[in-house]
Amino acid sequence: MRATPRPSDARSFVFELATPNEQWLVAASSQAEQAAWIEALAARTAHLLESQSRGADDGAAAEKRAALLAELRAVPGNNKCADCGAADPTW
């Protein structure tokens, strides 16, 4: 997933959110909110990718991953796959 500002839409604080299969244009209410969203999306994506690449960990790390996954699933719209629309996706 990648999130980048759209220079042509500078006054409307629009940014592009892209996965390998789809792209969305998202509008924030301010430049600060736009930057915060992009930073948060990049940080969460990096964290999840890093967690996956480490493989098996101790129980505490597995619990933390489960808590993060529950947090992500609780975000409105995350009850379906962003790429194909299937219900209850797994990451």
Side-chain angles (χ1 to χ4, degrees), residues 26-78:
V26 182
S29 61
S30 67
Q31 186 174 11
E33 183 181 50
Q34 177 193 44
W37 270 107
I38 291 172
E39 182 180 335
L41 289 164
R44 183 59 73 192
T45 300
H47 175 79
L48 290 172
L49 290 173
E50 184 180 307
S51 295
Q52 283 183 335
S53 69
R54 281 193 296 242
D57 298 22
D58 62 16
E63 283 183 33
K64 186 173 182 179
R65 267 196 312 280
L68 288 171
L69 184 56
E71 182 182 334
L72 284 172
R73 286 183 182 270
V75 173
N78 279 351

